[in-house]
Amino acid sequence: AGFSGRQVLTSSWRDITEQKKRLKEQQATVERLRLQSQLLGGLALSQAAVEGNLDHFARESTELLAGDLGIERVSVWLYNQDQTELRCISLYELAPQRHSRDMVLSEEKFRDELQALKQSRYVDADDPCNDPRTKGYRESYLDPLGITAMLDCSIISGGRHRGVICFEHVNRLHHWEHDEIIFGCQMADQLGMVLLTRERLQANREAESSRQELVESEQRLRCITDSASDAILMMD
């Protein structure tokens, strides 16, 4: 009977421990969702987003996300015209509080991940050095920087893959939760919207410039025509 009683107590203790663990995980998820919603709402109202200033928005968002989410490296990369390279337009490193840009990843080094990103919205590599999608640039990128977990989300704009937002943990293990992946994709969508805004405003400026050039051309032609008419009248 005593042995049976100990079994019941052990089982009850395990149940309580599991319940506490689940409750703690649920509370952590709720807190992450609250923070994610706050970040998305704030960045959507950013002046840089409204103006389509992608470089400034990327710089602003990478610093904010790294600091508030506790992620060592957050970066935004854009493809070149033929999608053979990714060029960084903003990287923020949390520990040194440092901004940088213009690094380039070539297709030969990230081909496996590029293919994965074209087939899926994201690459969630909890162990990027051994993940088949990302291990191709282990020696040149992952190991030197100490990257131990990576989440890359595709920036899709105008129906095309335009770039990637990358979240990287350094020297600590991390499992990417479902809500973190969704948030990463939502941030990629925001970057895509800013990119579209930039292109729309640029197109408007070019259209206005063309209209102004046409008006000036018509004015010059009118002046020439008027001058020619005056000359004819004087000859008469």
Side-chain angles (χ1 to χ4, degrees), residues 157-191:
S157 178
R160 294 188 293 128
H161 287 74
R162 308 294 294 275
V164 174
I165 180 169
C166 185
F167 305 87
E168 297 166 327
H169 283 289
V170 172
N171 295 327
R172 72 182 181 94
L173 300 179
H174 183 80
H175 168 68
W176 298 105
E177 300 291 348
H178 184 60
D179 62 273
E180 293 179 301
I181 295 171
I182 291 175
F183 172 75
C185 291
Q186 290 173 324
M187 271 308 307
D189 288 341
Q190 279 207 353
L191 286 158

Side-chain angles (χ1 to χ4, degrees), residues 16-225:
I16 292 172
T17 303
E18 285 298 318
Q19 288 175 6
K20 287 183 176 179
K21 181 182 177 181
R22 284 196 296 271
L23 180 60
K24 187 176 180 179
E25 291 173 349
Q26 289 171 356
Q27 289 173 337
T29 300
V30 169
E31 179 58 25
R32 281 198 310 271
L33 290 171
R34 182 198 65 77
L35 178 57
Q36 291 163 4
S37 178
Q38 179 181 318
L39 287 168
L40 287 169
L43 287 170
L45 298 175
S46 162
Q47 188 64 28
V50 174
E51 295 175 352
N53 189 335
L54 183 63
D55 287 344
H56 186 79
F57 181 76
R59 181 182 174 91
E60 176 185 19
S61 58
T62 51
E63 179 173 348
L64 183 64
L65 295 173
D68 284 13
L69 299 176
I71 299 176
E72 177 57 31
R73 294 166 56 90
V74 181
S75 54
V76 177
W77 304 71
L78 294 182
Y79 288 113
N80 62 351
Q81 190 64 32
D82 57 2
Q83 295 193 340
T84 57
E85 288 182 349
L86 278 172
R87 182 179 65 85
C88 181
I89 65 169
S90 179
L91 162 67
Y92 185 76
E93 298 169 271
L94 185 58
Q97 299 184 0
R98 179 173 60 208
H99 288 276
S100 56
R101 57 174 295 151
D102 292 330
M103 298 75 74
V104 175
L105 288 176
S106 61
E107 183 182 24
E108 61 184 87
K109 293 180 181 178
F110 70 94
R111 181 178 289 107
D112 292 333
E113 185 181 11
L114 175 60
Q115 293 303 318
L117 284 169
K118 287 182 177 179
Q119 295 169 9
S120 174
R121 276 298 310 272
Y122 61 87
V123 167
D124 54 332
D126 293 347
D127 182 12
C129 289
N130 295 302
D131 191 302
R133 299 167 296 180
T134 55
K135 67 180 182 180
Y137 48 91
R138 174 175 183 170
E139 293 182 0
S140 62
Y141 185 81
L142 301 174
D143 281 346
L145 295 172
I147 295 171
T148 48
M150 173 188 289
L151 172 64
D152 286 353
C153 300
S154 289
I155 299 169
I156 300 174
S157 178
R160 294 188 293 128
H161 287 74
R162 308 294 294 275
V164 174
I165 180 169
C166 185
F167 305 87
E168 297 166 327
H169 283 289
V170 172
N171 295 327
R172 72 182 181 94
L173 300 179
H174 183 80
H175 168 68
W176 298 105
E177 300 291 348
H178 184 60
D179 62 273
E180 293 179 301
I181 295 171
I182 291 175
F183 172 75
C185 291
Q186 290 173 324
M187 271 308 307
D189 288 341
Q190 279 207 353
L191 286 158
M193 289 299 296
V194 176
L195 188 54
L196 279 178
T197 299
R198 183 180 74 173
E199 292 173 346
R200 176 177 57 80
L201 293 175
Q202 178 64 28
N204 288 344
R205 285 192 293 269
E206 290 175 357
E208 177 60 25
S209 177
S210 296
R211 190 191 69 80
Q212 186 61 33
E213 288 178 3
L214 180 60
V215 170
E216 292 174 356
S217 177
E218 289 175 345
Q219 289 175 341
R220 286 194 297 270
L221 180 59
R222 189 176 299 113
C223 288
I224 292 172
T225 302

